[in-house]
Amino acid sequence: MPRPKGSKNKIKVPKGAAVDFASAIAAKNAEKDQISDELASIQAGIADLKAQLKEKRAALKSVDKAITKLENQKTAAEAKAAQQARQAEIDSALQKLIADGMSVDQILDKLK
């Protein structure tokens, strides 16, 4: 079978039919304008979402800093409370030893 001549991708125009190129061009231009408008609105939406994302990341960062600061303050307060508890315990032990009649030299020897 012989090969047909010409390209398969060739636009086929019916014989004897008048083609209205102006209306076809107008339709394609309208379609192009619609797609470009949709594209612009999508890009605007993306820009808005990027701005929101940036704001949320900044808020998250500030909250993380505040949490870290509070955790450090909590650790410092716990350490201070533990130090005060040890000091109170030592003071009560010294008061007890003094009440039992021990001298300061004997107490120092006992601490060593």
Side-chain angles (χ1 to χ4, degrees):
M1 183 166 153
R3 289 189 325 185
K5 292 185 178 179
S7 173
K8 293 182 198 177
N9 298 328
K10 182 178 177 184
I11 298 174
K12 296 180 176 116
V13 179
K15 290 184 179 180
V19 178
D20 188 15
F21 289 111
S23 64
I25 290 173
K28 291 298 179 180
N29 280 334
E31 184 179 349
K32 177 185 169 187
D33 291 340
Q34 180 185 5
I35 291 173
S36 64
D37 290 342
E38 290 175 4
L39 183 63
S41 67
I42 289 171
Q43 286 176 339
I46 289 172
D48 291 340
L49 290 175
K50 282 184 180 180
Q52 288 178 3
L53 180 63
K54 187 175 181 180
E55 291 173 7
K56 296 296 180 181
R57 282 185 177 162
L60 179 64
K61 189 174 182 181
S62 66
V63 169
D64 282 342
K65 284 183 181 181
I67 289 171
T68 304
K69 185 177 179 181
L70 289 174
E71 287 175 347
N72 290 340
Q73 289 176 350
K74 177 185 171 191
T75 304
E78 288 174 350
K80 186 176 181 181
Q83 179 67 24
Q84 288 176 348
R86 282 191 300 246
Q87 185 66 35
E89 184 181 327
I90 290 171
D91 288 343
S92 66
L94 286 175
Q95 291 297 331
K96 184 178 177 185
L97 290 175
I98 291 173
D100 287 342
M102 290 185 108
S103 69
V104 176
D105 292 331
Q106 291 172 335
I107 293 172
L108 289 175
D109 287 339
K110 196 169 197 171
L111 288 176
K112 291 180 182 180

